[in-house]
Amino acid sequence: MDVQQRNLGRIETLVSLAAALADKTPLLLRVEDLHWAQPTLLRYMTALVGVAARHPIILLQTSQLQGDPLDAAWRAGIGAAPITTLDLGPLNADEARNLVFDFEGVDADWAAACIERSGGNPLFLDQLLRSSDGTDGADGQAIPGSVQSVVQSRIDALIPQDRTALQAASVLGLRFALDALRFVMGDSAYQPDNLLQFNLIRRSEGAFQFYHALFRDAVHGSFLKGRRQELHLKAADWYQDRDAVLYAEHLGEAGSERAPIAFQRAARAEAEAYRIERALELVERGLGLLGEGTDRFDLAAHRADLLRELGRPEEALDAWEEASNLAMTDRQRCLAWIGVAAVNRLMSWRERGTGALEQAEAIARREGMEVELAEIYCYRGGAAFVAGDFEQCLNFHNESLRHARLGGSYRWEATALGGIADAEYGRGRMRNAADSFERCFALCRAHGLLDIESRNRFMMGVTRRYVDGHDVAMEEFRAAGKMAEDVHNVRAAMMANMLSGEVLIDMADFEGAEPHLQDAVRVARSLSNKRMELYCLYELSRRALGLRQTDRAIEIMNEVMAIGRETGINFHGPRLFALNAVLQTDPEECRQSLAEGAALVAVGANAHNVLWFHRDAIDACLNVGDIDEARVHSQALLDFTVEEKLPWAEFFATRGQVLAECAEGKGEAAALANAVEQGRQLGLLIALPELEDALSQLA
């Protein structure tokens, strides 16, 4: 008997056995992985299809598309036998979780990582789960050898052109464009028809994508490192003028010495688009590629500055200290000292910041660094503002403006204009301040400096509330808050929230104020900014008082005063002492608190301290029966604003005067009604109940 006759005999035996068994009970015959089948086995399958058509037999066969032997020729050979084809898609999330249940003792986080990484491929999921139980520190990123073998076999089955294309595609990533693929593989006419037919890739929104991320990773790890780096360099060439981030990443994968600089350029591009977290990641990747003995300062300094922008001052300060240790030139040392000062500004000007500016200025003057001098004078102006020296603040910012223009820096010119506006605000010149802010914003919009506008925008609301009322101010604060969120400016968002809360309290919207203030105090604490934490708590005390929760207001105010005396109370001191006086029931304690506030006003205080001190001092004096003193504070509001009239100050002065008249039994209904209308127009609803009560008593 020859080989052919023996094979025919085996087929007949198999067919007879299957038919005999099926006559006793229906059969399900399962044959898996037919893509590995030899031609001889296919003849067995043809015979089984024939017997299944005549007997109660279901023949279940599985095959991959790549290497599927059940082609048109084979189907023609089975005649009219019924056949149904099912294309199986990936497991959905529930199906994948059900598969996980078959594995005992698998860590939940590990199982979730495996499900995500498998892409719904049951074999991949099974092998990932078998490779670890998640308790050994594995992260699900390693490729099991069994999966690598399966992938390698599918790669080996491809013709050379498709194999090259698959390697090039794996270098480009999970998703790739055809023109990029052709460039990297060096074949301008290539068509990925076979890769599509074998379900290795699929179409995806005008491009292509690997069917599974794990398959892409396995392909990427399947060829030699030298070849992989060569293809990554080609990919970098493709992206050089198209995508700064991908250009850097491919250079990094190729081990190119150009990669660190590319990562820094990519980080700058991301930062300019206000994607600060992403920029930080890129800078840190660039730093990781630099070896010992290389100039690491630029990347280290960039990292420190990004940490500052993200509102992580403690980390930023450490990073700037590290950068200063890496400085190899005087210019780099100057930049490092400026960086230290910038972080200290965020943290309410600690002594370290002032010393850093002195060291930076000495170098900047010697080296003729105009832009850096503009930055230094800007920070000096900020320190003078905090100290309450507004004439000096104005001088410093004007000097900053001069250096910025000499250095041709629109960025520092805009920053200086914002500083000049702050100084005018500190002097109580609200309209001058608004004008300087408008000039600052116009420059920002002309030169794409949205980050500078965002950190100053809330001040338009601050200045306009004294002139145009609280409805207008709230519109400005909402716009400032949105802008700050858009550019991820943590400090500016905090200020917009805090000031929104302050204005809403004055508008008697106590419920609306609370979330703004709670969010602001949370951020202030995260920034280690005691000065702003104190301010937020002060506003929460005002809110409690507005709700007639006097005990709670006193409790918060005690905390405020403790923080102020510990960290320095001068910046907000006058208004703190005035509110504290309002909360006192003992006349002597009230007068003592007002005396402390008045002493700070006398030595120089910014406009909001002067205005708010006299505003609350009026109520404190009326509460304890010091009617003449209430009149003194009312007049002080008018005297302070004599060079620039402010409707806000005029209202509180008028209110104090008419309430003082009422306290002496001399109240006039017309004067009270006018004051009520004046306050209502400005949105100062919190100040109306006393006026309305007095008016009702005269009715």
Side-chain angles (χ1 to χ4, degrees):
M1 183 182 295
D2 60 20
V3 173
Q4 184 176 2
Q5 288 177 319
R6 282 198 297 273
N7 285 335
L8 287 173
R10 292 189 183 106
I11 292 172
E12 289 173 359
T13 300
L14 176 62
V15 167
S16 298
L17 179 60
L21 290 172
D23 287 340
K24 294 179 181 180
T25 183
L27 292 182
L28 171 65
L29 301 179
R30 185 179 70 190
V31 182
E32 295 188 5
D33 296 335
L34 273 179
H35 48 277
W36 301 117
Q38 298 297 317
T40 302
L41 181 60
L42 293 181
R43 289 194 287 272
Y44 282 78
M45 295 301 101
T46 302
L48 283 175
V49 170
V51 74
R54 301 187 301 273
H55 295 272
I57 297 173
I58 294 177
L59 181 59
L60 178 63
Q61 305 171 105
T62 67
S63 173
Q64 296 177 0
L65 287 176
Q66 184 182 3
D68 181 9
L70 307 183
D71 54 15
W74 181 84
R75 292 175 188 239
I78 63 173
I83 183 169
T84 300
T85 301
L86 297 176
D87 291 327
L88 298 180
L91 301 177
N92 62 33
D94 289 336
E95 291 166 340
R97 282 191 288 270
N98 288 336
L99 180 58
V100 172
F101 290 150
D102 293 336
F103 292 80
E104 295 182 0
V106 176
D107 177 78
D109 291 339
W110 168 253
C114 290
I115 289 172
E116 181 178 1
R117 186 148 167 74
S118 71
N121 185 304
L123 172 63
F124 291 174
L125 178 55
D126 177 272
Q127 294 304 304
L128 284 169
L129 290 167
R130 293 180 189 279
S131 69
S132 171
D133 62 4
T135 62
D136 55 1
D139 59 4
Q141 299 305 304
I143 301 173
S146 54
V147 173
Q148 190 71 58
S149 296
V150 170
V151 171
Q152 190 61 56
S153 67
R154 298 190 71 181
I155 295 172
D156 291 343
L158 296 170
I159 63 173
Q161 184 187 38
D162 289 330
R163 194 178 307 137
T164 298
L166 200 63
Q167 291 175 346
S170 75
V171 161
L172 287 167
L174 182 64
R175 190 172 183 275
F176 55 91
L178 182 57
D179 52 356
L181 176 65
R182 287 170 170 169
F183 179 85
V184 173
M185 68 181 292
D187 186 341
S188 60
Y190 177 74
Q191 292 293 339
D193 296 336
N194 289 335
L195 302 185
L196 290 166
Q197 180 185 347
F198 297 151
N199 275 0
L200 300 176
I201 64 172
R202 57 187 169 88
R203 298 185 187 278
S204 174
E205 300 177 357
F208 297 93
Q209 181 173 325
F210 278 90
Y211 251 94
H212 302 287
L214 187 61
F215 184 79
R216 176 264 165 191
D217 294 346
V219 172
H220 189 257
S222 68
F223 52 104
L224 295 177
K225 179 179 178 180
R227 173 61 175 161
R228 192 160 56 243
Q229 290 181 324
E230 177 187 338
L231 290 177
H232 275 295
L233 280 176
K234 288 282 288 182
D237 289 343
W238 173 259
Y239 284 115
Q240 183 169 7
D241 298 320
R242 293 178 171 87
D243 189 308
V245 173
L246 290 175
Y247 172 64
E249 288 179 342
H250 283 294
L251 287 178
E253 290 289 339
S256 171
E257 61 183 13
R258 294 177 287 160
I261 294 176
F263 273 114
Q264 186 171 16
R265 289 174 180 165
R268 287 199 183 103
E270 291 296 290
E272 287 172 2
Y274 308 110
R275 294 186 286 268
I276 309 300
E277 289 278 7
R278 179 63 172 143
L280 180 61
E281 292 174 11
L282 293 168
V283 164
E284 289 177 341
R285 287 186 64 182
L287 275 170
L289 294 173
L290 286 173
E292 294 297 326
T294 56
D295 187 351
R296 301 169 60 87
F297 176 83
D298 285 348
L299 277 167
H302 196 176
R303 175 177 177 270
D305 205 43
L306 290 170
L307 286 168
R308 177 188 62 80
E309 289 191 47
L310 285 169
R312 292 154 62 179
E314 300 288 354
E315 293 176 72
L317 195 57
D318 289 342
W320 274 117
E321 295 286 0
E322 179 184 346
S324 69
N325 292 332
L326 294 170
M328 301 172 68
T329 67
D330 280 348
R331 182 181 185 83
Q332 290 178 340
R333 293 183 189 93
C334 177
L335 295 176
W337 292 126
I338 292 174
V340 169
V343 176
N344 273 273
R345 174 177 178 268
L346 194 65
M347 301 168 75
S348 298
W349 281 110
R350 300 177 181 180
E351 184 177 344
R352 174 79 165 136
T354 304
L357 284 180
E358 291 174 356
Q359 296 183 71
E361 185 176 358
I363 296 173
R365 287 200 174 281
R366 185 171 65 247
E367 299 291 327
M369 300 164 65
E370 295 293 348
V371 175
E372 286 71 21
L373 284 168
E375 187 172 1
I376 289 166
Y377 275 104
C378 172
Y379 294 145
R380 287 199 182 283
F385 184 90
V386 172
D389 189 345
F390 304 109
E391 293 299 328
Q392 185 73 291
C393 174
L394 187 62
N395 291 336
F396 280 141
H397 283 300
N398 275 314
E399 188 69 5
S400 176
L401 182 64
R402 185 177 71 83
H403 284 292
R405 287 171 173 167
L406 286 172
S409 172
Y410 292 120
R411 170 169 291 277
W412 286 104
E413 183 178 349
T415 302
L417 286 170
I420 289 169
D422 285 338
E424 294 287 16
Y425 165 77
R427 300 196 308 162
R429 309 295 193 268
M430 301 303 173
R431 292 177 179 83
N432 287 352
D435 179 64
S436 289
F437 280 127
E438 287 292 359
R439 290 164 59 205
C440 167
F441 300 159
L443 195 63
C444 289
R445 291 162 192 162
H447 299 284
L449 302 172
L450 186 61
D451 57 321
I452 296 176
E453 182 177 359
S454 73
R455 68 173 177 251
N456 286 284
R457 184 59 191 263
F458 67 87
M459 285 299 299
M460 281 299 287
V462 174
T463 57
R464 294 192 67 181
R465 70 143 164 231
Y466 293 109
V467 178
D468 301 312
H470 282 43
D471 287 334
V472 173
M474 274 307 300
E475 290 179 12
E476 293 288 354
F477 291 141
R478 278 191 284 268
K482 183 180 184 306
M483 184 178 291
E485 293 291 341
D486 288 345
V487 303
H488 311 292
N489 188 318
V490 177
R491 185 179 184 277
M494 173 191 70
M495 295 299 298
N497 264 320
M498 184 186 65
L499 291 162
S500 293
E502 180 175 272
V503 166
L504 287 169
I505 290 170
D506 271 358
M507 298 174 78
D509 184 358
F510 304 114
E511 296 305 315
E514 184 180 27
H516 288 286
L517 295 174
Q518 293 292 356
D519 189 65
V521 76
R522 176 187 59 79
V523 175
R525 285 168 176 163
S526 75
L527 296 175
S528 302
N529 191 325
K530 286 292 187 181
R531 177 162 59 86
M532 299 318 301
E533 179 185 353
L534 176 151
Y535 195 166
C536 295
L537 291 173
Y538 158 83
E539 294 296 347
L540 287 168
S541 180
R542 289 184 63 234
R543 175 182 177 274
L545 181 61
L547 289 168
R548 302 296 188 263
Q549 299 169 355
T550 307
D551 289 345
R552 178 58 180 152
I554 292 171
E555 179 185 351
I556 298 173
M557 199 61 205
N558 288 339
E559 183 181 357
V560 169
M561 299 304 289
I563 294 173
R565 294 189 189 280
E566 175 190 347
T567 61
I569 204 166
N570 286 16
F571 187 74
H572 296 299
R575 65 191 297 177
L576 303 185
F577 284 117
L579 181 61
N580 189 55
V582 171
L583 294 170
Q584 302 304 318
T585 56
D586 181 280
E588 287 308 313
E589 290 182 0
C590 171
R591 292 169 188 135
Q592 175 60 34
S593 191
L594 288 178
E596 292 188 71
L600 292 176
V601 170
V603 297
N606 62 42
H608 70 246
N609 267 318
V610 176
L611 294 170
W612 283 70
F613 172 74
H614 292 303
R615 164 186 164 163
D616 285 344
I618 292 169
D619 282 345
C621 291
L622 291 172
N623 288 347
V624 298
D626 289 346
I627 310 304
D628 288 340
E629 284 300 308
R631 289 193 176 98
V632 168
H633 290 293
S634 297
Q635 186 59 44
L637 281 173
L638 299 177
D639 292 343
F640 183 73
T641 57
V642 68
E643 293 188 25
E644 183 179 306
K645 304 294 184 184
L646 299 178
W648 184 97
E650 290 177 339
F651 163 71
F652 280 106
T654 300
R655 176 181 176 275
Q657 290 163 351
V658 298
L659 288 176
E661 292 294 308
C662 290
E664 293 179 338
K666 304 174 184 176
E668 296 181 2
L672 285 166
N674 287 337
V676 168
E677 181 58 25
Q678 187 180 359
R680 199 176 301 281
Q681 288 180 1
L682 291 171
L684 288 162
L685 304 187
I686 195 173
L688 300 187
E690 293 81 3
L691 293 170
E692 291 169 339
D693 287 347
L695 188 59
S696 67
Q697 291 174 19
L698 293 178

